C-alpha cells in the first residue's frame, strides 16, 4: 500500500473516499470536517443532530456524495468522547476505518490529518499510519485458493494545507511506516509455521538485515557454541535434526555510544522435549520465537531511524524436540556462566537457552539488558493475552519501560522478583534446578534468568500471553502480534543519557 502526502483541502479533493473523524456529541464541528460540512450544505451537522451518526468510538458510517463533493464517498468515523481521546484510540480509529474501507472493496482514500490540541502533527500522522498499517496486516502467504478474494487498499493520501504542515505529516508518515514494517516482519516470522521458520531461516533473516543495513553479524552453529561452553543452549538444541543457531547481530551508530543488549528467545517450535506437552494447542508453540522476532524488528528500526546506540541483539534459536539425542530430566548442564543447572523439565527450555544468551551478552559490557521471551504459561494465567509481565533489577530501567508502554499501548504489568522464591530453584545435585513450584511460575522463571545477568541493569519481558492472540484488538489482528518491537523502539527513542 502506498501512502503519500499532498497539499489539498478535503472539500475540494477528488478521491474514491474521503475519511473524516468526529468526537462524540460534538455540537460544533471544527477544522476540515466543518469545511466539508459547509460545502455539503450542512449534511454532517444534520446527521449528528438527528443522532444518525453519534461519533461513538470506532463507529463507521459510509455515504455516497452523488456529485455533491469531489470525493465519491465519505466515511465518518467516531473518536468517542473528546476528554478520553488519546493516541491509542487514534491508532484504533485509523485501523477500524481502514478495515472498513478495505472490507468494502474500496481501493483508495484520502483524509485530512486532523489537528487536536495536545498532540503534534508529527505524532498524529505517525500514529495514524501505524494504526492503519498494523490494522490492515494480513497473513496470506500460504493461501492458494481464491486469492482474487483477498482485499487490499492500494493508495492513501494524507492531506495537509500548509507547506510546514505537510513536512510534519511527511515525517510522521516515514516513522510510522518504518515501525509498522518492522512489526509486520516480526508478525510474519511468528505466523510462519515452524517447518518454514527454522533456526536457519531466522539466521538467514538476521544475515539479510545485517547485509542490507551494514550491521555486524555472527552466527554460531551448535558445535561452536559447545566449544564456547554454552552447555545449556547445546542441551536444548541437540534433540532436534534442525540445526540450532546462536545469532548475534550488532548495530552501531558510532563510537562511544551506550551499549544495550536485546536478548530474544528463539525457540522455533516448543514441543516440550522429553517432558512433552499435551497435544491440545501445541500448534501455538510455533510462536515461541516471538522474542527473537521482536529483537530483529527493533534492530531494523534502530538502523532506519538512525538511533544513537550500540545495540547487540542476541538470539539463541533452536527447536525443542524429543528424540534419542534429546536432553532429559535429571541431566546436569554446565552453562556459559560456569553455573550448573539440573534439568527438572525439558519444557523449561527457554530459561536454559536464555541463560547462555544473557551471559554471552555480558561480554559487551552493556549499560542495560532487555530480554523478551514467551517464557511461561503461568504468566498467561496471571495476566492474560493483553499484558506483558515486567520484571527487573533496576528501578530506573523499569520506569523507562513503563513510560514507553504508556506511549505505545503495549501494556506491561510489574511483577515482583521476590528473593525468597530463589529457594525454589535450589537443587541437591547442581547450583540450580530449572523449575520451581507451579505457583508463581512466571516469577520463578524470571528469578532463574536473574542469576545470569550479574549486576547489570536488566529487564525481562514475559510475552507468553501477548505474542499471539485469538481475540483481535483494534489494530492487532488475530495471530502473531509482533509485540515488543514498538515498546523497545519507544524505549530507545526516549532514552536519555543519565
Ligand atoms: N514456551 C513455553 C511457555 C508458553 C506457554 C508460552 C504457553 C506461551 C503459551 C515455555 O517454554 C514452557 O513450556 N514453560 C513451562 C515452564 C514450566 C515447565 C516450569 C510452562 O509454562 O509450563
Ligand atoms: Zn517449553
Ligand atoms: Zn518455550
Amino acid at each position: 500500500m502506498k501512502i503519500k502526502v499532498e497539499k489539498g483541502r478535503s472539500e475540494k479533493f477528488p478521491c474514491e473516499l474521503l475519511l473524516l473523524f468526529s468526537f462524540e456529541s460534538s455540537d460544533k464541528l471544527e477544522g476540515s470536517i466543518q469545511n466539508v460540512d459547509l460545502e455539503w450544505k450542512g449534511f454532517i451537522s444534520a446527521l449528528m443532530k438527528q443522532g444518525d451518526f453519534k461519533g461513538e468510538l470506532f463507529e463507521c458510517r459510509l455515504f455516497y456524495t452523488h456529485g455533491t463533493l469531489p470525493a465519491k464517498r465519505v466515511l465518518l468515523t467516531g473518536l468517542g468522547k473528546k476528554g478520553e481521546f488519546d493516541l491509542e484510540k487514534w491508532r484504533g480509529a485509523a485501523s477500524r476505518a481502514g478495515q472498513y474501507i478495505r472490507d468494502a472493496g474500496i481501493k483508495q482514500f484520502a483524509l485530512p490529518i486532523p489537528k487536536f490540541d495536545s498532540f503534534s502533527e508529527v505524532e498524529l500522522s505517525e500514529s495514524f499510519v501505524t494504526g492503519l498499517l498494523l490494522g490492515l496486516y494480513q497473513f496470506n502467504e500460504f493461501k492458494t485458493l481464491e486469492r482474487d478474494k483477498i482485499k487490499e487498499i492500494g493508495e492513501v493520501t494524507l492531506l495537509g494545507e500548509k507547506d510546514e504542515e505537510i513536512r510534519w505529516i511527511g515525517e510522521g508518515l516515514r516513522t510510522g511506516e518504518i515501525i509498522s514494517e518492522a512489526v509486520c516482519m516480526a508478525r510474519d516470522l511468528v505466523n510462519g509455521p515452524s517447518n518454514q521458520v527454522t533456526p536457519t531461516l531466522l539466521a538467514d533473516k538476521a544475515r539479510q538485515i545485517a547485509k542490507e543495513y551494514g550491521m555486524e553479524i555472527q552466527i554460531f552453529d551448535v558445535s561452536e557454541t559447545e566449544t564456547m561452553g554454552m552447555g545449556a543452549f547445546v542441551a536444548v538444541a541437540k534433540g532436534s535434526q534442525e540445526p540450532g543457531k546462536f545469532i548475534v547481530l550488532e548495530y552501531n551508530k558510532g563510537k562511544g555510544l551506550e551499549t544495550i543488549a536485546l536478548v530474544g528467545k528463539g525457540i522455533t517450535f516448543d514441543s516440550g522435549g522429553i517432558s512433552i506437552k499435551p497435544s491440545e494447542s501445541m500448534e501455538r508453540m510455533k510462536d515461541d520465537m516471538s522474542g527473537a522476532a521482536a529483537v530483529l524488528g527493533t534492530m531494523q528500526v534502530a538502523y532506519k531511524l538512525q538511533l544513537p546506540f550500540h545495540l547487540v541483539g542476541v538470539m539463541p534459536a533452536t527447536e525443542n524436540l524429543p528424540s534419542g539425542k534429546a536432553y532429559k530430566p535429571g541431566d546436569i548442564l554446565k552453562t556459559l556462566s560456569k553455573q550448573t543447572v539440573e534439568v527438572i523439565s525439558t519444557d523449561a527450555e527457554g530459561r536454559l537457552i536464555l541463560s547462555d544468551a544473557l551471559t554471552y551478552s555480558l561480554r559487551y559490557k552493556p549499560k542495560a539488558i532487555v530480554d523478551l521471551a514467551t517464557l511461561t504459561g503461568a504468566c498467561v494465567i496471571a495476566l492474560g493475552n493483553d499484558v506483558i509481565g515486567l520484571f527487573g533489577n533496576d528501578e530506573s530501567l523499569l520506569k523507562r519501560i513503563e513510560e514507553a508502554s504508556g506511549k505505545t499501548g503495549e501494556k506491561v504489568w510489574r511483577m515482583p522478583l521476590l528473593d525468597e522464591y530463589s529457594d525454589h530453584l535450589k537443587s541437591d545435585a547442581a547450583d540450580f534446578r530449572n523449575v520451581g513450584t507451579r505457583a508463581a511460575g512466571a516469577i520463578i522463571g524470571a528469578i532463574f534468568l536473574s542469576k545470569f545477568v550479574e549486576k547489570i541493569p536488566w529487564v525481562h519481558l514475559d510475552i507468553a500471553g501477548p505474542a499471539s492472540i485469538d481475540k483481535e484488538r483494534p489494530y492487532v489482528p488475530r495471530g502473531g502480534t509482533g509485540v515488543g518491537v514498538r515498546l523497545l523502539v519507544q524505549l530507545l527513542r526516549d532514552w536519555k543519557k543519565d
Side-chain angles (χ1 to χ4, degrees), residues 265 267 269-272 275 277 281 284-285 287-289 320 344-351 373-381 385 434-438 441-442 444-445 462-468:
K265 174 175 173 183
I267 296 287
F269 187 74
D270 182 11
S271 71
S275 316
K277 287 180 181 294
S281 302
R284 195 197 148 177
M285 284 302 128
D287 79 2
D288 214 18
M289 35 55 71
N320 183 27
I344 303 301
S345 168
T346 61
D347 197 11
E349 83 298 338
R351 61 196 74 180
T374 43
L375 202 72
T376 65
C379 201
V380 191
I381 301 297
N385 286 100
N434 74 333
V435 162
T437 48
R438 245 164 79 82
I444 291 167
D462 193 331
I463 55 172
S468 60

Side-chain angles (χ1 to χ4, degrees), residues 78-329:
L79 296 177
K81 298 201 172 62
K82 197 169 183 178
E84 292 170 8
F85 182 75
D86 59 16
L87 292 178
E88 181 68 355
K89 296 215 171 69
W90 179 229
R91 284 185 286 263
S95 160
R96 286 294 164 82
Q99 290 167 349
Y100 187 103
I101 296 166
R102 174 192 65 195
D103 296 345
I106 298 161
K107 301 244 174 311
Q108 186 262 329
F109 73 96
L111 76 148
I113 291 293
K115 292 185 190 48
F116 302 128
D117 329 330
S118 58
F119 301 105
S120 70
E121 273 139 336
V122 189
E123 279 176 317
L124 287 164
S125 156
E126 179 188 323
S127 301
F128 180 85
V129 170
T130 307
L132 181 71
L133 290 174
L134 294 182
L136 291 177
Y137 172 85
Q138 291 170 294
F139 184 69
N140 289 323
E141 202 183 319
F142 295 94
K143 299 231 179 196
T144 66
L145 305 177
E146 301 185 319
R147 283 197 73 89
D148 51 323
K149 292 214 173 117
I150 296 172
K151 291 176 178 162
E152 271 169 26
I153 297 173
E155 194 183 274
V156 180
T157 309
L158 311 179
L159 296 173
E161 289 179 18
K162 298 192 203 84
D163 287 339
E164 198 193 358
E165 203 181 325
I166 286 173
R167 259 204 318 281
W168 294 131
I169 295 174
E171 192 186 316
L173 163 62
R174 206 180 93 79
T175 315
E177 278 186 326
I178 287 170
I179 295 173
S180 309
E181 186 194 4
V183 175
C184 293
M185 173 184 84
R187 287 179 181 177
D188 281 345
L189 288 170
V190 177
N191 287 327
S194 74
N195 58 340
Q196 300 273 336
V197 182
T198 57
T200 303
L201 184 129
L202 285 181
D204 289 347
K205 190 83 202 169
R207 214 180 265 118
Q208 183 198 329
I209 289 174
K211 193 162 169 228
E212 207 167 331
Y213 308 128
M215 298 184 196
E216 294 279 317
I217 185 151
Q218 286 170 283
I219 296 168
F220 301 110
D221 59 29
V222 179
S223 66
E224 288 170 301
T225 58
E226 190 157 17
T227 316
M228 290 157 81
M230 297 192 195
F233 176 73
V234 173
V236 178
K238 72 182 190 177
S240 166
Q241 300 277 333
E242 229 10 283
K245 304 281 170 189
F246 192 93
I247 307 163
V248 185
L249 181 62
E250 242 180 289
Y251 158 78
N252 203 345
K253 172 74 178 103
K255 284 211 178 75
L257 294 169
E258 281 177 348
T259 301
I260 297 189
L262 305 175
V263 179
K265 174 175 173 183
I267 296 287
T268 57
F269 187 74
D270 182 11
S271 71
I274 297 293
S275 316
I276 198 159
K277 287 180 181 294
S279 56
E280 198 192 317
S281 302
M282 206 202 264
E283 70 282 357
R284 195 197 148 177
M285 284 302 128
K286 68 175 182 177
D287 79 2
D288 214 18
M289 35 55 71
S290 296
V295 171
L296 282 179
T298 307
M299 304 276 298
Q300 175 171 310
V301 177
Y303 168 81
K304 290 196 171 179
L305 296 183
Q306 290 289 296
L307 299 177
F309 286 99
H310 173 219
L311 297 182
V312 186
V314 185
M315 293 154 276
T318 167
E319 293 186 325
N320 183 27
L321 292 186
S323 79
K325 289 196 174 148
Y327 77 133
K328 304 172 294 296

